Short mmCIF file of all heavy atoms in Angstrom, two decimals:
data_model
loop_
_atom_site.label_atom_id
_atom_site.label_comp_id
_atom_site.label_asym_id
_atom_site.label_seq_id
_atom_site.Cartn_x
_atom_site.Cartn_y
_atom_site.Cartn_z
N ARG A 454 84.80 66.72 133.29
CA ARG A 454 85.53 65.49 133.06
C ARG A 454 84.93 64.77 131.88
O ARG A 454 83.68 64.74 131.77
CB ARG A 454 85.56 64.60 134.33
CG ARG A 454 86.58 64.91 135.33
CD ARG A 454 86.40 66.27 136.11
NE ARG A 454 85.15 66.43 136.82
CZ ARG A 454 85.00 66.08 138.10
NH1 ARG A 454 85.95 65.55 138.79
NH2 ARG A 454 83.85 66.33 138.73
N LEU A 455 85.73 64.17 131.03
CA LEU A 455 85.18 63.45 129.85
C LEU A 455 85.12 61.96 130.11
O LEU A 455 85.98 61.45 130.89
CB LEU A 455 85.98 63.74 128.60
CG LEU A 455 86.07 65.19 128.13
CD1 LEU A 455 86.78 65.29 126.81
CD2 LEU A 455 84.70 65.85 128.05
N ALA A 456 84.26 61.31 129.39
CA ALA A 456 84.18 59.86 129.48
C ALA A 456 85.33 59.17 128.83
O ALA A 456 85.59 57.99 129.04
CB ALA A 456 82.84 59.34 128.93
N VAL A 457 86.08 59.91 127.96
CA VAL A 457 87.17 59.39 127.17
C VAL A 457 88.30 58.90 128.08
O VAL A 457 88.70 59.64 129.00
CB VAL A 457 87.82 60.50 126.32
CG1 VAL A 457 88.87 59.95 125.37
CG2 VAL A 457 86.83 61.42 125.72
N SER A 458 88.87 57.75 127.78
CA SER A 458 90.06 57.38 128.59
C SER A 458 91.29 57.60 127.69
O SER A 458 92.14 58.38 127.92
CB SER A 458 90.00 56.03 129.23
OG SER A 458 89.60 55.10 128.22
N SER A 459 91.36 56.84 126.58
CA SER A 459 92.55 56.87 125.73
C SER A 459 92.51 57.97 124.77
O SER A 459 92.31 57.80 123.56
CB SER A 459 92.71 55.55 125.04
OG SER A 459 91.43 55.05 124.58
N SER A 460 92.72 59.22 125.29
CA SER A 460 92.50 60.36 124.39
C SER A 460 93.57 60.50 123.30
O SER A 460 93.27 61.06 122.20
CB SER A 460 92.52 61.66 125.20
OG SER A 460 93.75 61.83 125.84
N VAL A 461 94.72 59.92 123.44
CA VAL A 461 95.78 60.06 122.44
C VAL A 461 95.38 59.23 121.19
O VAL A 461 95.36 59.64 120.07
CB VAL A 461 97.18 59.64 122.96
CG1 VAL A 461 98.19 59.70 121.86
CG2 VAL A 461 97.54 60.53 124.10
N ALA A 462 95.03 57.88 121.47
CA ALA A 462 94.63 57.03 120.37
C ALA A 462 93.33 57.47 119.76
O ALA A 462 93.17 57.45 118.47
CB ALA A 462 94.55 55.62 120.85
N LEU A 463 92.45 57.93 120.56
CA LEU A 463 91.14 58.43 120.04
C LEU A 463 91.36 59.60 119.13
O LEU A 463 90.80 59.70 118.04
CB LEU A 463 90.18 58.78 121.20
CG LEU A 463 88.85 59.31 120.73
CD1 LEU A 463 88.03 58.25 120.02
CD2 LEU A 463 87.97 59.80 121.92
N GLY A 464 92.23 60.50 119.55
CA GLY A 464 92.53 61.66 118.73
C GLY A 464 93.04 61.28 117.34
O GLY A 464 92.69 61.87 116.35
N ALA A 465 93.88 60.25 117.37
CA ALA A 465 94.42 59.80 116.08
C ALA A 465 93.32 59.20 115.19
O ALA A 465 93.26 59.45 113.99
CB ALA A 465 95.52 58.75 116.33
N SER A 466 92.38 58.42 115.82
CA SER A 466 91.31 57.82 114.95
C SER A 466 90.37 58.88 114.46
O SER A 466 89.87 58.74 113.36
CB SER A 466 90.59 56.72 115.72
OG SER A 466 89.95 57.30 116.88
N LEU A 467 90.19 59.96 115.28
CA LEU A 467 89.27 61.01 114.85
C LEU A 467 89.96 61.83 113.67
O LEU A 467 89.26 62.23 112.77
CB LEU A 467 89.01 61.98 116.00
CG LEU A 467 88.14 61.39 117.15
CD1 LEU A 467 88.03 62.46 118.29
CD2 LEU A 467 86.74 61.00 116.66
N ARG A 468 91.25 61.95 113.82
CA ARG A 468 91.95 62.72 112.71
C ARG A 468 91.88 61.93 111.45
O ARG A 468 91.66 62.48 110.33
CB ARG A 468 93.43 62.95 113.07
CG ARG A 468 93.59 63.99 114.18
CD ARG A 468 94.99 64.62 114.13
NE ARG A 468 96.02 63.61 114.17
CZ ARG A 468 96.89 63.33 113.21
NH1 ARG A 468 96.86 64.00 112.10
NH2 ARG A 468 97.86 62.41 113.36
N ALA A 469 92.05 60.63 111.54
CA ALA A 469 92.01 59.74 110.32
C ALA A 469 90.63 59.83 109.68
O ALA A 469 90.47 59.93 108.51
CB ALA A 469 92.38 58.32 110.71
N ALA A 470 89.56 59.84 110.59
CA ALA A 470 88.19 59.88 110.07
C ALA A 470 87.96 61.20 109.40
O ALA A 470 87.40 61.29 108.31
CB ALA A 470 87.24 59.70 111.22
N SER A 471 88.34 62.30 110.05
CA SER A 471 88.03 63.64 109.50
C SER A 471 88.76 63.79 108.17
O SER A 471 88.20 64.26 107.17
CB SER A 471 88.49 64.66 110.54
OG SER A 471 88.74 65.89 109.90
N HIS A 472 90.02 63.41 108.17
CA HIS A 472 90.86 63.68 106.98
C HIS A 472 90.44 62.77 105.78
O HIS A 472 90.39 63.27 104.67
CB HIS A 472 92.32 63.36 107.35
CG HIS A 472 93.30 63.65 106.25
ND1 HIS A 472 94.50 62.95 106.20
CD2 HIS A 472 93.29 64.45 105.23
CE1 HIS A 472 95.13 63.37 105.11
NE2 HIS A 472 94.40 64.29 104.52
N ASN A 473 90.09 61.49 106.06
CA ASN A 473 89.77 60.62 104.93
C ASN A 473 88.30 60.48 104.60
O ASN A 473 87.99 60.04 103.47
CB ASN A 473 90.41 59.23 105.20
CG ASN A 473 91.91 59.39 105.26
OD1 ASN A 473 92.55 59.47 104.21
ND2 ASN A 473 92.53 59.40 106.42
N LEU A 474 87.48 60.78 105.50
CA LEU A 474 86.01 60.65 105.20
C LEU A 474 85.38 62.03 105.00
O LEU A 474 84.17 62.14 104.79
CB LEU A 474 85.30 59.98 106.33
CG LEU A 474 85.69 58.49 106.61
CD1 LEU A 474 85.08 57.98 107.90
CD2 LEU A 474 85.24 57.64 105.46
N GLY A 475 86.25 63.05 105.09
CA GLY A 475 85.74 64.43 104.89
C GLY A 475 84.75 64.83 105.99
O GLY A 475 83.87 65.73 105.77
N LEU A 476 84.90 64.31 107.23
CA LEU A 476 84.02 64.65 108.28
C LEU A 476 84.55 65.92 109.03
O LEU A 476 85.80 66.01 109.15
CB LEU A 476 83.84 63.54 109.27
CG LEU A 476 83.29 62.21 108.71
CD1 LEU A 476 83.34 61.10 109.76
CD2 LEU A 476 81.86 62.43 108.23
N ASP A 477 83.66 66.73 109.51
CA ASP A 477 84.09 67.89 110.28
C ASP A 477 84.67 67.43 111.63
O ASP A 477 84.01 66.78 112.37
CB ASP A 477 82.91 68.83 110.51
CG ASP A 477 83.29 70.09 111.24
OD1 ASP A 477 83.99 70.89 110.66
OD2 ASP A 477 82.96 70.17 112.45
#
Side-chain angles (χ1 to χ4, degrees):
R454 275 66 61 89
L455 299 187
V457 189
S458 50
S459 40
S460 63
V461 177
L463 179 64
S466 62
L467 293 176
R468 289 203 305 114
S471 158
H472 183 208
N473 293 286
L474 296 170
L476 300 174
D477 181 71

